[in-house]
Amino acid sequence: MKIPASVSDEQALFLTDIFPTGYMAAENCGIEKGDTVAVWGCGPVGQFAIRSAFLLGAERVIAIDRFHERLKMAEDGGATTLDYEEDEVFDTLVEMTGGMGPDSCIDAVGMEAHGRSFDAYYDRAKQALMLEMDRSHALRQAIHACRKGGTVSVPGVYAGFLDKMPFGQAFNKGVAIKGGQTNMQSYTKPLLGLIESGKIDPSFVITHTISLDEAADGYDTFNNKEDECIKFMVKP
């Protein structure tokens, strides 16, 4: 696809991955005007899910993470934030939604979730003993928190069998669960249109710009959550 001259490299780059992933995650929620959407994980995909939820009509987005730079970026995008190391996420979400729970919950964390509840420590112990593949704490929490008849959208990647999944609760509440790999080709053109129209500027997510020679160090910085790195762009 040819990118028009009016769209910069920084704006176009994320059409190949994280922008469509975050947008599809929000689209899978079936958001209606006035909805409250909770997003677990304020990494790059979570950031695009937050902004996409607002584009699709959400009235309020609640973003959940523990890194202050990610929470600040989410706030800059209009979200209300929760630090799961300071707030009891389930109780706070229920209180913020009048006892109902969010209309939709997006798990933008996936198989490497962290937490401070019993099930999160359980996952880490079983994974260390090679008795479990994925740490699914965020997905469990999203299912618990979602309102009756709501939707849990899963852009976060999972690789294998998930332990202690509250499927009975999802069934009894009538929660719809949607996920899957994003079909980039079906989203590239319409999302490019949103960029051209000025409805979103994807370059907001870039916190670092580096040369190709610095790429290995850049990945280390990102992986280790150093220097407030959320997303870096490599310019060869």
Side-chain angles (χ1 to χ4, degrees), residues 22 24 41 47 54 65 94 98-99 147 162 165 176 226-227 232:
M24 189 181 90
Q47 298 292 344
F54 282 123
D65 207 295
V94 170
R147 71 161 172 84
L162 306 185
M165 191 53 51
E226 297 171 347
D227 197 28
F232 68 84

Side-chain angles (χ1 to χ4, degrees), residues 52-215:
S52 297
F54 282 123
L55 285 173
L56 292 168
E59 180 176 316
R60 178 170 55 168
V61 177
I62 304 169
I64 303 155
D65 207 295
R66 63 187 171 116
F67 294 100
H68 72 89
E69 65 271 16
R70 293 182 173 193
L71 294 170
K72 175 62 167 59
M73 184 177 283
E75 289 176 353
D76 291 343
T80 302
T81 58
L82 293 180
D83 182 338
Y84 68 76
E85 291 191 333
E86 298 180 1
D87 302 302
E88 190 61 46
V89 173
F90 175 81
D91 292 340
T92 304
L93 287 174
V94 170
E95 182 180 351
M96 293 175 72
T97 55
M100 300 290 290
D103 298 290
S104 300
C105 295
I106 297 176
D107 171 11
V109 180
M111 59 190 270
E112 297 180 341
H114 293 80
R116 58 184 181 88
S117 63
F118 173 79
D119 72 302
Y121 296 125
Y122 165 91
D123 282 340
R124 292 188 70 84
K126 289 200 70 174
Q127 193 177 56
L129 295 170
M130 297 186 179
L131 297 174
E132 184 177 6
M133 293 183 67
D134 300 348
R135 302 195 302 265
S136 50
H137 165 70
L139 181 55
R140 293 191 201 102
Q141 201 169 61
I143 292 173
H144 281 303
C146 192
R147 71 161 172 84
K148 294 178 180 179
T151 300
V152 173
S153 174
V154 189
V157 175
Y158 288 92
F161 297 97
L162 306 185
D163 205 355
K164 300 293 185 290
M165 191 53 51
F167 188 78
Q169 187 180 44
F171 174 83
N172 286 315
K173 292 200 298 183
V175 170
I177 301 175
K178 298 182 180 180
Q181 298 284 353
T182 305
N183 183 348
M184 301 298 170
Q185 297 292 342
S186 65
Y187 284 95
T188 306
K189 189 172 182 179
L191 295 187
L192 178 59
L194 292 179
I195 297 170
E196 289 184 281
S197 67
K199 292 183 178 180
I200 188 169
D201 181 354
S203 66
F204 77 88
V205 79
I206 301 172
T207 55
H208 293 65
T209 300
I210 61 177
S211 69
L212 186 59
D213 291 340
E214 299 171 305

